[in-house]
């Protein structure tokens, strides 16, 4: 600790470790009293358990990215750090227990904030779990026995048709904070099989709460039997754990860093994040170090977040995630992006009206005077318009007569287009805040038991993804998008290095979603593939890929893609021969098989790429694989073996060299 810092023990303000006392109001009083001091302040929690209830928590009206913020503008925050500077929260190994469906931690409009050496969980997670204990299907009788963890409150309706998940009760009102029914009206559910380590999404009617329930009954606390008509749900199998959360209603983030700078978390364990996860919004220089995002197995839990673990929406400076563990989120462990706003109207030669085009992007300021922006044609997403423009005036969403989707932005020079709609009435352009695009360092982390992707990252500044381990990722381990048509999550990559990582990719029964280990898939407007590069300068080197199926890299619209010195171990090889599969108009050699449509033997996929280099990789497998190409020419792919550069030839596999050689 800094010897010059002022150290405040929470017990001086009435804090009591290992008691049932509500620490929400006393912590707020403490932090309000030290607000504005020039000295560094360390708030120290003597080791123990501390409770934080929402009943007397501060409420703030603001909007957050990727949530249902329009319907839920008021955020209730238990552990609130607001307008603070040079503040450290020292946990000394303590455990913080949050109650209700609230934002546990909020860091707003603050600078130089450090949190370290504590863990947290929610008393009753809003991600509810049900484990299949036994199934029975004989003589026209169909039922399944399920287990609910002892700490989870629930009730069954009088007509035995509905199962209700309940929160704990408030110590103030004795009322439940929330109540949800059956599958919580969600679009999908998640199932986890411990033996295989696989966690994946299922349709709701494949799980326990289908429309053919005959009755639900209880046979002792936590033992639930559900009878079904005619058949068991298709995916109800013994020992599978099902997870249910109300994703259709993301009322808040579990934790949020909002418009703050220089915030660090270290040596922490986060067992659960309600709502959207840990959201970093319009902030700069944020780091997560030696922090675990893992379920509380002591309580029998299998879920660590309602949605993402870490979600970065608009950031600057450097985002660092180092030495962390991510296991059992309900969505992506790391998602880093900006936000495209769609151009709706040209007010004059220097002023535009733009909107948040996705309903879960609303209300928050996206641009500030002095920020730099770049414009993109939604159909191509290329760099033909990447000249930067400076913001000279802005009317934010929800102000000046605007609704929560709309804003007006003025610039320092004439706009580069005259019409904002094409002849079909489609809005043609989006713009991105270039100032709020971060440098990213993601190193030495572990990702496991993820039903979606491992890392999503789109930013124009330097990105390093190094020394990470990916295991049991149901979709792609690394996904690079840039989307002007759906979520509008922005970010043309300009300098990304992916090196010294270990990937384990294996098939998942009944799950047909594409999952290349590294998937570069921008989403421009329309179904037609853009004809120009969207991402640039991506290097994939010195990684180890254990591939049961699928391809190592699938890339679309990339210029200068280097794949070198990687070790690729194909653990389920087939008997097909090596070749390059042609796309619409290109084959490196006549006579190569071009009708192969499987995924197991396609090692690389390239679509509309330029400057692709494959160099110095080693391949440990019984038989080689295909390279699939589309919308490319011969010079777009260069395959280098040592000092020899081969452009127009057919590949073969040399077992004696244990690597690809080249034959003419």
């Amino acid at each position: 600790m800094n010897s010059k810092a002022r150290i405040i023990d929470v017990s001086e303000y009435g804090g009591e470790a290992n008691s049932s006392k509500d620490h929400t109001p006393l912590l707020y009083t403490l932090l309000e009293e030290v607000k504005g001091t020039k000295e560094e302040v360390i708030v120290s929690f003597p080791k123990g358990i501390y409770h934080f209830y929402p009943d007397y928590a501060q409420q703030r009206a603001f909007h957050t990215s990727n949530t249902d913020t329009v319907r839920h503008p008021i955020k209730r925050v238990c552990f609130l750090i607001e307008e603070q500077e040079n503040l450290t929260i020292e946990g000394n190994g303590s455990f913080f227990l949050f109650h209700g469906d609230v934002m546990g931690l909020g860091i707003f409009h603050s600078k130089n904030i450090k949190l370290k050496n504590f863990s947290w969980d929610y008393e009753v997670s809003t991600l509810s779990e049900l484990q299949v204990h036994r199934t029975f299907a004989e003589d026209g009788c169909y039922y399944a026995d399920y287990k609910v963890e002892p700490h989870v409150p629930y009730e069954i309706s009088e007509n035995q048709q509905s199962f209700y998940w309940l929160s704990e009760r408030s110590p103030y009102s004795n009322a439940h904070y929330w109540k949800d029914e059956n599958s919580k009206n969600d679009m999908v559910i998640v199932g986890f099989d411990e033996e295989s380590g696989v966690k994946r999404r299922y349709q709701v009617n494949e799980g326990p709460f289908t429309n053919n329930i005959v009755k639900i009954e209880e046979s002792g606390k936590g033992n639930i039997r559900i009878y079904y008509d005619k058949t068991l749900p298709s995916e109800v199998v013994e020992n599978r754990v099902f997870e249910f959360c109300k994703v259709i209603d993301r009322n808040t983030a579990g934790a949020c860093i909002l418009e703050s700078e220089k915030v660090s978390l270290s040596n922490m364990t986060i067992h659960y994040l309600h709502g959207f996860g840990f959201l970093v919004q319009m902030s700069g220089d944020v780091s997560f170090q030696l922090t675990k995002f893992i379920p509380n197995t002591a309580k029998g839990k299998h879920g660590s977040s309602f949605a993402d673990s870490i979600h970065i929406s608009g950031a600057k400076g450097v985002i660092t995630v180092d030495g962390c563990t991510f296991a059992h989120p309900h969505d992506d462990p790391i998602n880093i992006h900006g936000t495209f706003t769609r151009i709706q109207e040209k007010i004059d030669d220097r002023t535009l009206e733009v909107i948040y085009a996705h309903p879960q992007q609303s209300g928050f300021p996206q641009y500030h005077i002095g920020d730099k922006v770049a414009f993109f044609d939604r159909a191509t997403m290329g760099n033909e318009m990447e000249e930067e423009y400076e913001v000279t005036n802005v009317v934010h969403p929800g102000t000046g007569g605007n609704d929560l989707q709309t804003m007006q932005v003025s610039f320092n020079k004439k706009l580069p287009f005259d019409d904002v709609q094409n002849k079909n009435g489609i809005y043609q352009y989006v713009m991105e805040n270039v100032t709020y695009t971060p440098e990213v360092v993601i190193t030495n982390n572990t990702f496991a038991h993820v039903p979606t992707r491992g890392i999503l990252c789109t930013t124009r500044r330097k990105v390093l993804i190094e020394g990470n381990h990916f295991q049991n990722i149901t979709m792609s381990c690394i996904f690079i998008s840039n989307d002007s048509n759906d979520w509008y999550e922005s970010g043309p990559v300009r300098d990304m290095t992916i090196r010294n990582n270990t990937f384990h990719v294996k098939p998942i029964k009944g799950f047909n979603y594409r999952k290349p280990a590294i998937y570069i898939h921008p989403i421009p407007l329309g179904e037609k593939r853009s004809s120009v590069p969207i991402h640039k300068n991506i290097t994939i080197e010195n990684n180890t890929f254990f591939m049961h199926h699928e391809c190592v890299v699938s890339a679309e619209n990339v210029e200068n893609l280097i794949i070198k010195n990687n070790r690729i171990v194909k653990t389920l090889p087939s008997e097909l021969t090596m070749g390059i599969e042609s796309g619409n108009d290109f084959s490196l050699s006549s006579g190569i098989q071009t009708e192969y449509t499987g995924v197991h033997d396609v090692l690389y996929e390239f679509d509309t790429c330029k400057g692709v280099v494959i160099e110095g990789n080693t391949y440990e497998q019984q038989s080689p694989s295909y390279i699939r190409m589309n919308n490319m020419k011969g010079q777009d792919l260069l395959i280098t073996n040592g000092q020899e550069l081969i452009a127009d030839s057919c590949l073969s596999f040399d077992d004696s060299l244990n690597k690809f050689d080249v034959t003419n």
Side-chain angles (χ1 to χ4, degrees), residues 209-226:
F209 299 107
T210 67
N211 57 10
N212 69 328
I213 290 177
V214 175
K215 67 176 178 178
I216 304 172
E217 61 183 22
E218 180 184 46
S219 58
K221 178 64 176 175
N223 298 311
I224 307 300
R225 176 170 289 181
I226 303 180

Side-chain angles (χ1 to χ4, degrees), residues 36 57 65 88 106 178 187 269 353 372 473 476 514 549 648 651:
S65 176
T88 297
W178 54 265
M187 299 171 289
T269 299
E353 181 167 279
K372 301 293 181 62
I473 312 298
S476 292
R514 285 300 316 278
H549 79 317
D648 293 316
L651 298 180

Side-chain angles (χ1 to χ4, degrees), residues 65-66 311-315 335-339 361 432 436 438 456-459 488-491:
S65 176
N66 291 71
H311 194 104
I312 315 289
S313 175
N335 188 353
I336 301 173
H337 63 86
T339 301
Q361 309 283 7
E432 178 186 44
Y436 280 85
L456 289 80
C457 184
T458 51
T459 176
Y488 288 80
E489 294 180 352
S490 67

Side-chain angles (χ1 to χ4, degrees), residues 577-635:
T577 58
M578 181 61 196
I580 295 182
E581 183 178 16
S582 70
N584 294 338
D585 59 358
F586 170 56
S587 175
L588 287 182
S589 175
S590 60
I592 296 174
Q593 181 179 351
T594 62
E595 296 180 356
Y596 175 65
T597 58
V599 294
H600 177 68
D601 297 280
V602 178
L603 199 64
Y604 307 109
E605 291 179 337
F606 307 116
D607 190 336
T608 321
C609 294
K610 295 181 179 180
V612 179
V613 176
I614 300 176
E615 175 183 1
N617 303 289
T618 60
Y619 304 88
E620 301 174 21
Q621 55 187 22
Q622 296 177 13
S623 62
S625 301
Y626 284 82
I627 299 173
R628 177 180 290 152
M629 303 177 67
N630 195 34
N631 298 319
M632 294 169 61
K633 301 187 180 191
Q635 62 266 31

Side-chain angles (χ1 to χ4, degrees), residues 313-380:
S313 175
K316 59 183 178 180
V318 181
I319 300 297
T320 302
V321 184
D322 178 62
C324 298
T325 301
F326 299 88
H328 291 281
H330 209 66
D331 209 328
D332 309 311
I334 299 176
N335 188 353
I336 301 173
H337 63 86
T339 301
F340 280 132
T341 53
R342 194 173 71 201
I343 297 169
Q344 298 294 105
E345 181 182 351
K346 184 177 179 182
I347 296 174
D348 59 44
D349 283 347
R350 298 190 178 199
T351 304
L352 293 170
E353 181 167 279
V354 301
I355 66 164
Y356 286 120
H358 192 281
Q360 288 186 328
Q361 309 283 7
S362 300
F364 54 94
Q366 182 63 220
Y367 305 99
H368 314 83
I369 294 174
D371 287 353
K372 301 293 181 62
V373 308
F375 298 104
F376 294 87
D377 186 322
R378 294 175 63 204
T380 64

Side-chain angles (χ1 to χ4, degrees), residues 31-49:
L31 293 178
E32 282 295 293
E33 288 189 13
V34 302
K35 185 182 292 184
T37 60
K38 295 182 180 180
E39 62 187 336
E40 181 182 349
V41 173
I42 300 174
V43 176
S44 179
F45 287 79
K47 186 175 181 178
I49 299 173

Side-chain angles (χ1 to χ4, degrees), residues 58-289:
Q58 294 296 306
Q59 299 182 61
R60 297 291 183 268
F62 63 96
H63 295 280
T64 52
S65 176
N66 291 71
T67 60
D68 294 293
T69 189
V70 174
R71 289 188 285 115
H72 301 284
I74 307 298
K75 276 66 174 177
R76 194 182 292 266
V77 189
C78 286
F79 198 121
L80 176 60
I81 298 171
E82 184 178 43
E83 297 177 359
Q84 297 280 353
E85 192 167 350
N86 303 321
L87 172 69
T88 297
I89 304 297
E90 171 58 70
N92 297 301
S94 291
F95 189 90
F96 297 165
L97 197 58
F98 297 121
H99 297 265
D101 56 345
V102 297
M103 183 179 291
L105 170 70
I107 302 173
F108 307 152
H109 314 293
S110 296
K111 186 176 182 180
N112 293 329
I113 307 298
K114 299 177 182 177
L115 297 92
K116 55 185 181 180
N117 303 321
F118 63 89
S119 304
W120 86 57
D121 198 1
Y122 282 64
E123 174 65 25
V124 179
S125 299
T126 48
L127 178 70
S128 301
E129 301 181 13
L130 200 62
Q131 184 165 11
V132 185
H133 178 62
R134 177 174 177 261
T135 61
F136 184 89
E138 292 181 13
D139 302 324
C141 183
Y142 304 92
Y143 67 81
D145 291 332
Y146 300 93
K147 291 284 189 181
V148 179
E149 288 302 315
H151 69 282
V152 177
Y154 63 86
E155 63 184 31
I156 298 170
S157 65
E158 290 186 6
N159 65 4
Q160 295 184 295
Q161 295 298 300
S162 294
F163 184 91
Y164 292 102
W165 305 95
L166 305 172
S167 75
E168 71 275 44
R169 292 182 182 272
S170 164
Y172 298 97
S173 68
N174 199 40
H176 293 289
Y177 292 114
W178 54 265
K179 179 179 181 179
D180 293 323
E181 181 180 5
N182 291 348
S183 297
K184 303 193 176 189
N185 198 30
D186 200 10
M187 299 171 289
V188 296
I189 57 177
V190 167
F192 171 63
D193 296 308
E194 190 158 2
E195 184 176 350
S196 66
V198 169
K199 194 167 198 168
R200 56 156 289 193
R201 291 176 170 176
Y202 294 95
Q203 297 299 314
V204 173
N205 62 6
E206 295 178 303
F209 299 107
T210 67
N211 57 10
N212 69 328
I213 290 177
V214 175
K215 67 176 178 178
I216 304 172
E217 61 183 22
E218 180 184 46
S219 58
K221 178 64 176 175
N223 298 311
I224 307 300
R225 176 170 289 181
I226 303 180
Y227 290 89
Y228 301 94
D229 182 29
K230 296 181 181 179
T231 184
L232 287 170
S234 59
E235 296 300 334
V236 171
V237 297
E238 292 182 3
N239 298 317
R240 178 166 290 162
V241 177
F242 285 99
E243 299 176 359
F244 312 93
C245 69
K246 206 173 182 180
V247 171
I248 59 168
D249 190 18
R250 293 175 173 174
N251 66 329
T252 186
C256 181
I257 299 173
L258 176 70
E259 297 179 10
S260 297
E261 296 182 15
K262 297 183 179 178
V263 179
S264 68
L265 289 81
S266 60
N267 293 297
M268 294 179 57
T269 299
I270 298 173
H271 285 305
Y272 186 65
L273 286 159
H274 167 63
F276 188 51
F278 204 125
L279 173 63
V280 178
Q281 180 174 304
M282 305 306 285
S283 296
D285 294 315
V286 176
S287 68
F288 298 84
Q289 296 179 314

